[in-house]
Amino acid sequence: SIRVKREAKKQRSIAVEPEAKLLFVVRIKGLNKVHPKTKKILKLLRLQQINNGVFLRVNKATLGLLKFVEPFIAYGYPSLKSVK
């Protein structure tokens, strides 16, 4: 990544980072007094317990689901270092 940026700088162009294809999602909150749709979405995402984590592909559908359950989860783009 750094090498690509340096080469682009030498050639006086801009290096565009590729978009991430993978997300890591962790459940951080319980389900007391929660709407049934939110429960169903967390079940679909395989996040039934607190501190469970899953890898998900990035697409429009999963991003829409994540937006709906955002108060109950934390998510980000994993790097190779964090996965190893």
Side-chain angles (χ1 to χ4, degrees):
S1 175
I2 295 172
R3 184 179 49 117
V4 173
K5 287 181 183 177
R6 287 180 181 161
E7 287 178 14
K9 193 172 182 180
K10 280 182 188 176
Q11 297 172 357
R12 298 191 188 278
S13 64
I14 298 171
V16 178
E17 299 254 343
E19 287 190 28
K21 297 179 184 175
L22 198 67
L23 276 171
F24 186 69
V25 185
V26 179
R27 168 95 173 270
I28 58 170
K29 219 173 180 186
L31 280 181
N32 289 346
K33 301 177 186 173
V34 174
H35 194 273
K37 187 172 182 180
T38 305
K39 286 183 186 179
K40 181 69 173 177
I41 291 172
L42 287 169
K43 198 170 187 177
L44 284 170
L45 295 174
R46 303 184 313 269
L47 294 170
Q48 294 181 315
Q49 292 180 342
I50 297 176
N51 296 329
N52 274 11
V54 293
F55 288 99
L56 298 174
R57 285 183 185 224
V58 177
N59 59 36
K60 195 174 180 180
T62 55
L63 290 177
L65 293 175
L66 293 179
K67 206 169 277 187
F68 199 86
V69 294
E70 203 159 11
F72 304 95
I73 60 169
Y75 64 94
Y77 302 101
S79 65
L80 187 60
K81 186 179 178 183
S82 66
V83 172
K84 284 187 175 182

